[in-house]
Amino acid sequence: MHLTLVQLRLIYFFELNEDWGLGFNGFGLYDKSGSGNLQFGGFGSGVRLKWKPADKNGATHVIFQSEFDGNQEEDEDGDQAMVYGLYAMVDYLFKKRWSVGVIYDQMFPMEHDHEEEGEHSGEDQPITSIALTFYPSEFQRFRLQYNLPLG
């Protein structure tokens, strides 16, 4: 079986002033099987706001990040289903390599297209997570995360 996965992500981040930065991103992707049928297609966009005080020399920062995304999946029978989701995160770097954060995550799965349009299927329960992250380098991170289902 031959798979092709292509993802395009555009990110634009700029400094508002010495302490604040703002970023926007958007992405699209598709996955095609060897038979030529579209099996998966996705899209999304997000925003990131970062506060990093210049007088702390990079030892602390606060990041707010949020993203909305969706994907369309097709099974072997040709039935298609849409899934939408969103998340929001606040992360506080309290020491040079350590941060703590809170993450809110929710998915909104939709029924296959042969069902009534607009009906939810599966779980759409929101989840809040608490995370402790260690950054051994700028290219690595280890995260301990505990999920708390809401509702």
Side-chain angles (χ1 to χ4, degrees):
M1 178 180 208
H2 173 72
L3 291 175
T4 303
L5 177 65
V6 177
Q7 179 179 13
L8 175 65
R9 179 176 288 268
L10 300 173
I11 301 170
Y12 183 73
F13 189 83
F14 58 95
E15 293 181 1
L16 298 172
N17 61 32
E18 191 174 82
D19 297 334
W20 290 91
L22 181 64
F24 300 97
N25 74 67
F27 70 89
L29 59 97
Y30 76 88
D31 180 357
K32 199 177 217 179
S33 70
S35 65
N37 295 330
L38 179 66
Q39 299 293 315
F40 175 85
F43 61 90
S45 65
V47 64
R48 178 182 178 126
L49 181 64
K50 184 174 184 178
W51 174 72
K52 184 176 177 181
D55 60 346
K56 298 285 188 177
N57 197 19
T60 190
H61 70 236
V62 176
I63 294 173
F64 169 77
Q65 184 169 319
S66 182
E67 193 167 283
F68 171 81
D69 55 20
N71 70 55
Q72 181 174 350
E73 298 181 17
E74 185 176 304
D75 62 18
E76 294 85 22
D77 298 331
D79 294 330
Q80 295 185 357
M82 288 294 293
V83 178
Y84 299 97
L86 59 91
Y87 83 90
M89 174 188 79
V90 176
D91 192 58
Y92 171 61
L93 185 74
F94 61 90
K95 211 167 177 184
K96 182 90 172 152
R97 298 182 184 267
W98 292 90
S99 73
V100 64
V102 177
I103 304 164
Y104 174 84
D105 190 0
Q106 186 164 10
M107 288 180 36
F108 306 98
M110 304 300 280
E111 291 286 347
H112 289 289
D113 61 359
H114 66 275
E115 302 289 337
E116 283 193 43
E117 187 148 337
E119 282 190 25
H120 287 327
S121 68
E123 294 292 320
D124 59 359
Q125 183 176 7
I127 296 173
T128 298
S129 304
I130 299 168
L132 177 67
T133 308
F134 173 66
Y135 299 89
S137 75
E138 64 182 298
F139 304 107
Q140 297 176 315
R141 75 174 171 203
F142 297 102
R143 177 175 284 168
L144 180 63
Q145 183 171 329
Y146 183 71
N147 295 340
L148 304 163
L150 299 177

